[in-house]
Amino acid sequence: MIQLIVSDIDGTLLPYGQKQLDPSIFSLIHRLSQQGIRFCPASGRQFHSLRKLFGPVQDELCYLCENGAILYGSGTEEAAPILGRTVMEHAPAMGLIQDILALEGCEVLISGANCSYLYQCDDSFVARMRDGTGNHVRVVRSLEEIKEDIIKISAYCPAGAAVPEKALGGKWPGIFRMAVAGAEWLDFTLADKGIGLRQLCGALGIPLENTLAFGDNWNDLPMLEAAGHPYLMASADPRLAEKLPRQCTSVPEVLEHLLETGCLLEC
């Protein structure tokens, strides 16, 4: 029995290059809710950004944000309860920020609960995060201006994440979890989407075996491995397909089949 559906966004529910969800997903979410099935976006994105993306149904959803570092229950943006949060230790977080800034061409994004802090960045990066991604942003002149707990640190690598991945991955293993979150992004947390899913299921009282999950990238792997019924997008890295043989080309197609037949689509 499926009680909870968690889906990655970029490259999974939202094709790369597109900025708006297909409106049909909102009616699917309503129909799932009528059958007692909850829907939860699971993304590296910020809470505010995810809510904007799901506008018509934004108050009805749970949210697994910042790659599992913070979870929200349903409700308005101001009233939605925090169901789980995993905080980074301050001293190593500061060291990671400096390491990212030392990489040529990379920008750093520092995430609080629902605010993105930008430091030593150019105006185009501010515009990208505020206007393109839709984040709450604050530009700080000093890291001491960040008074809240840090839950995620990201490196934006316009030239590609491969070189920064090698430079940073060798220094921080065992301290932070590093996840490739698209061609240009590296995310660092103490959590991951698998930890987030387990926390969410615990908060909602839903067994992991009653969860259906969709993803397309390496940062989705812990979530897909934890879920009772995982689907990998067919466009994913072939190395992921070796770990997750059940694939699909369309999340709405799988959900429609579930609603019509009560069974999962075998792809």
Side-chain angles (χ1 to χ4, degrees):
M1 178 177 65
I2 302 300
Q3 295 178 274
L4 174 66
I5 296 169
V6 289
S7 178
D8 173 53
I9 303 303
D10 298 288
T12 301
L13 200 59
L14 184 68
Y16 289 117
Q18 294 188 19
K19 297 186 180 298
Q20 302 294 330
L21 291 170
D22 186 327
S24 67
I25 192 64
F26 306 134
S27 63
L28 283 170
I29 289 171
H30 278 305
R31 291 165 60 197
L32 289 164
S33 179
Q34 290 170 358
Q35 294 195 16
I37 303 173
R38 307 189 71 154
F39 187 89
C40 175
S43 175
R45 293 190 184 214
Q46 181 192 82
F47 181 49
H48 179 71
S49 172
L50 281 173
R51 285 181 55 84
K52 288 179 65 177
L53 198 60
F54 285 87
V57 295
Q58 59 184 353
D59 291 346
E60 304 172 28
L61 309 179
C62 298
Y63 294 87
L64 191 159
C65 310
E66 308 288 4
N67 276 344
I70 190 163
L71 316 170
Y72 288 88
S74 57
T76 64
E77 186 161 356
E78 297 74 23
I82 294 176
L83 303 179
R85 172 166 37 193
T86 306
V87 175
M88 303 175 80
E89 294 185 16
H90 182 77
M94 293 298 108
L96 174 59
I97 290 168
Q98 296 299 338
D99 280 356
I100 293 172
L101 290 172
L103 296 174
E104 185 177 356
C106 289
E107 303 276 14
V108 66
L109 180 72
I110 306 159
S111 297
N114 199 23
C115 181
S116 296
Y117 296 94
L118 308 181
Y119 176 61
Q120 293 185 3
C121 64
D122 59 34
D123 292 342
S124 65
F125 187 57
V126 177
R128 178 187 180 95
M129 299 312 305
R130 182 189 59 217
D131 305 325
T133 306
N135 281 20
H136 277 314
V137 302
R138 179 184 170 193
V139 179
V140 295
R141 295 185 178 182
S142 166
L143 294 175
E144 284 69 34
E145 293 180 38
I146 303 173
K147 302 300 183 182
E148 67 170 309
D149 290 329
I150 296 171
I151 59 174
K152 189 183 77 172
I153 297 171
S154 302
Y156 172 59
C157 319
V163 173
E165 179 184 5
K166 291 180 181 179
L168 297 170
K171 185 170 183 179
W172 296 101
I175 301 174
F176 298 124
R177 298 173 186 269
M178 182 180 71
V180 178
E184 299 174 329
W185 287 94
L186 292 173
D187 288 343
F188 295 84
T189 59
L190 285 179
D192 59 36
K193 289 187 181 183
I195 291 172
L197 178 58
R198 289 183 176 90
Q199 289 180 346
L200 181 62
C201 284
L204 299 177
I206 294 174
L208 279 167
E209 57 265 29
N210 291 355
T211 60
L212 171 61
F214 299 90
D216 80 308
N217 216 324
W218 288 97
N219 65 329
D220 300 315
L221 181 59
M223 175 180 74
L224 295 172
E225 290 181 329
H229 305 277
Y231 279 88
L232 179 70
M233 301 307 291
S235 58
D237 188 328
R239 292 173 296 170
L240 277 172
E242 296 174 5
K243 300 175 180 290
L244 299 158
R246 177 186 273 170
Q247 300 178 34
C248 70
T249 57
S250 167
V251 175
E253 181 183 5
V254 176
L255 299 184
E256 187 68 52
H257 186 82
L258 174 65
L259 285 164
E260 289 181 357
T261 70
C263 300
L264 294 176
L265 183 64
E266 295 299 332
C267 303

